[in-house]
Amino acid sequence: MTETILQALQALRSNRLRSALTLVGMAIGVFSVIASVTAVKVLDQTLMGQLAAMGTQTISFDRVPDDRPATEEEMRRPQLTYDQALALQDRVPLAASVSSTLWGGSREVRTTEASTDPDVNVMATDQGYAQNNGWEMDQGRFLSEDDVRSAASVTVLGSTVAEEVFGDMDPLGREVRIDGVRFTVVGVLEEKSGGLNLGDSNNRVIVPITRGIPVFGLQDRDVTIDVRAPSAEMLAATQDQAVGALRAVRRLPPEAEDNFETFTSAEAADGLKAFTSALATGGAGIGLIALLAAGVGVMNIMLVSVTERTREIGVRKSLGATRRDILLQFLVEAVVLCQLGGLAGILMGVLGGNVVAALMTTAPAFPWGWATIAVLGVTVVALVFGVYPATKAARLHPIEALRYE
């Protein structure tokens, strides 16, 4: 077998351009498979990591769905308010914590030395938000219960904002102006990659909800309420209790449907798994079509090679080579050619797919399963599309082959 492989490599070297073009076609097919599944794997592990940071025990309530356009009936639902969130804190004894959040839109953050573009996301929330949503502190502290109770003019900065307005200076205790309103910096959030919306989740500032509502005019905005179960095992019981409490707070009769949306991080994980799986399968399907096209190219090249080497085949047969020897030689040539293209495609695909990891500043990924499938796949392509040319070569009559011009 080793001698056969060496002969195959020699045959491929003798027709470098033709072999290279065929190899490129195979590499492109494998590249499209590996690049797509690698990119999806990076995306999947990033988003799943963020959901894991949140934990599998967080339940969120919103007035309307955020994963699709709201219907007219959903838009007519009464507002979710901060007062309802406060009432919920006393009615869900199972909850480890309850937090409420308002998005205050995009604003400018300014110091005496620097300013940001007016695209910083302002969040008005309370002391439970960081724990409920998996945020850690890089410097200082998060909002406290006293900050919220007293409507203190304090803020916690995202890492992007802190770097942009303070650079290498210590931001703690310094003053910033958010749309002209003064706030004292008490903490800086630890940097996070990407975010579920693939934007810069670090480009934000957080203020107490009791301060943010009046100074930024957020009275008419819907509050998002997060309820954290004490453990993943208690999620269902906590969710049932929280839903019942919110229905009571919103004065819903027993027969009425919920006029709010319930969302858990576990449901998000299931949805993301289904989405990324479908995305990976679609990308791999497109790549497999490219592999089939490359296989046709392999067959064409092998047929040309058989024709060009007819006299060589005649000489080998006259010296005692059997049909099996000739068949094996040409099959090995097809397999070696496809494997070289496959390995090149895997390498390029992993590098290309991990561009997503670089953009999202997350760990690179290697799709071992799909790489194995690719190696097996190109072998199958080589055998399927190489068997006819190899059989044609094996069946040549030695005398006719020697006479071939």
Side-chain angles (χ1 to χ4, degrees):
M1 180 58 72
T2 303
E3 183 180 350
T4 305
I5 294 174
L6 293 175
Q7 288 175 350
L9 291 172
Q10 180 59 41
L12 295 177
R13 279 197 297 269
S14 63
N15 293 282
R16 287 186 176 85
L17 179 59
R18 189 170 63 198
S19 299
L21 292 175
T22 308
L23 187 149
V24 167
M26 187 60 64
I28 289 173
V30 174
F31 166 81
S32 59
V33 174
I34 299 300
S36 61
V37 298
T38 301
V40 170
K41 186 176 178 66
V42 168
L43 179 64
D44 181 65
Q45 71 183 18
T46 300
L47 300 185
M48 288 300 177
Q50 292 177 353
L51 287 174
M54 289 173 60
T56 55
Q57 61 255 40
T58 300
I59 309 142
S60 296
F61 297 101
D62 285 290
R63 181 174 68 92
V64 295
D66 60 0
D67 58 346
R68 60 173 175 81
T71 64
E72 291 185 11
E73 181 182 355
E74 289 168 340
M75 291 301 296
R76 290 194 294 269
R77 291 172 174 176
Q79 188 178 2
L80 265 179
T81 66
Y82 179 52
D83 289 337
Q84 292 173 2
L86 291 177
L88 207 61
Q89 291 179 354
D90 300 325
R91 295 184 180 222
V92 189
L94 285 178
S97 63
V98 178
S99 64
S100 16
T101 305
L102 279 165
W103 288 92
S106 298
R107 315 269 176 166
E108 179 191 59
V109 179
R110 178 181 293 274
T111 65
T112 54
E113 294 85 11
S115 65
T116 68
D117 293 330
D119 62 352
V120 177
N121 294 316
V122 173
M123 294 180 59
T125 188
D126 58 27
Q127 67 276 8
Y129 175 82
Q131 180 187 13
N132 288 349
N133 292 273
W135 283 95
E136 300 290 340
M137 301 304 300
D138 181 54
Q139 299 180 59
R141 63 173 177 85
F142 197 69
L143 302 179
S144 68
E145 187 176 351
D146 287 340
D147 293 333
V148 178
R149 186 184 299 113
S150 63
S153 289
V154 297
T155 184
V156 176
L157 306 182
S159 59
T160 297
V161 180
E163 182 177 357
E164 193 167 347
V165 296
F166 288 113
D168 295 330
M169 293 189 296
D170 182 2
L172 299 183
R174 295 181 182 271
E175 186 179 274
V176 296
R177 289 178 178 265
I178 305 173
D179 262 14
V181 183
R182 294 182 180 181
F183 290 88
T184 301
V185 178
V186 296
V188 177
L189 295 170
E190 191 175 77
E191 184 178 359
K192 273 191 180 182
S193 63
L196 295 180
N197 59 356
L198 303 184
D200 185 359
S201 57
N202 307 294
N203 191 37
R204 65 175 66 192
V205 292
I206 297 174
V207 301
I209 191 169
T210 48
R211 179 65 172 162
I213 289 175
V215 300
F216 296 123
L218 307 180
Q219 294 85 349
D220 296 330
R221 302 277 181 100
D222 283 304
V223 171
T224 294
I225 304 173
D226 292 327
V227 178
R228 187 176 180 85
S231 66
E233 293 73 23
M234 292 291 292
L235 177 65
T238 306
Q239 181 173 342
D240 290 343
Q241 192 176 80
V243 169
L246 189 55
R247 286 178 60 88
V249 168
R250 289 169 71 82
R251 303 182 185 278
L252 283 173
E255 69 278 4
E257 294 184 357
D258 294 342
N259 59 359
F260 52 85
E261 297 294 318
T262 306
F263 173 85
T264 68
S265 51
E267 292 171 351
D270 291 340
L272 281 172
K273 285 179 181 176
F275 170 72
T276 54
S277 177
L279 203 60
T281 302
I286 295 173
L288 291 175
I289 294 173
L291 275 181
L292 291 177
V296 173
V298 170
M299 178 182 284
N300 181 56
I301 291 299
M302 295 306 296
L303 286 172
V304 172
S305 180
V306 169
T307 301
E308 289 181 345
R309 296 161 62 188
T310 299
R311 286 180 59 82
E312 175 194 328
I313 295 169
V315 171
R316 291 197 63 194
K317 282 197 167 188
S318 67
L319 294 176
T322 64
R323 283 190 175 186
R324 181 180 178 277
D325 294 331
I326 302 300
L327 178 70
L328 186 61
Q329 178 186 353
F330 281 90
L331 280 180
V332 168
E333 286 184 22
V335 170
V336 169
L337 183 62
C338 289
Q339 289 292 353
L340 290 174
L343 292 175
I346 291 172
L347 178 61
M348 293 188 299
V350 169
L351 294 175
N354 276 302
V355 169
V356 176
L359 293 175
M360 299 183 69
T361 62
T362 190
F366 189 94
W368 291 102
W370 280 101
T372 302
I373 291 173
V375 171
L376 296 175
V378 295
T379 303
V380 171
V381 167
L383 295 176
V384 169
F385 289 94
V387 69
Y388 174 70
T391 302
K392 182 179 178 181
R395 288 178 176 175
L396 287 174
H397 193 281
I399 296 177
E400 294 179 358
L402 287 169
R403 288 175 178 174
Y404 182 80
E405 293 294 338

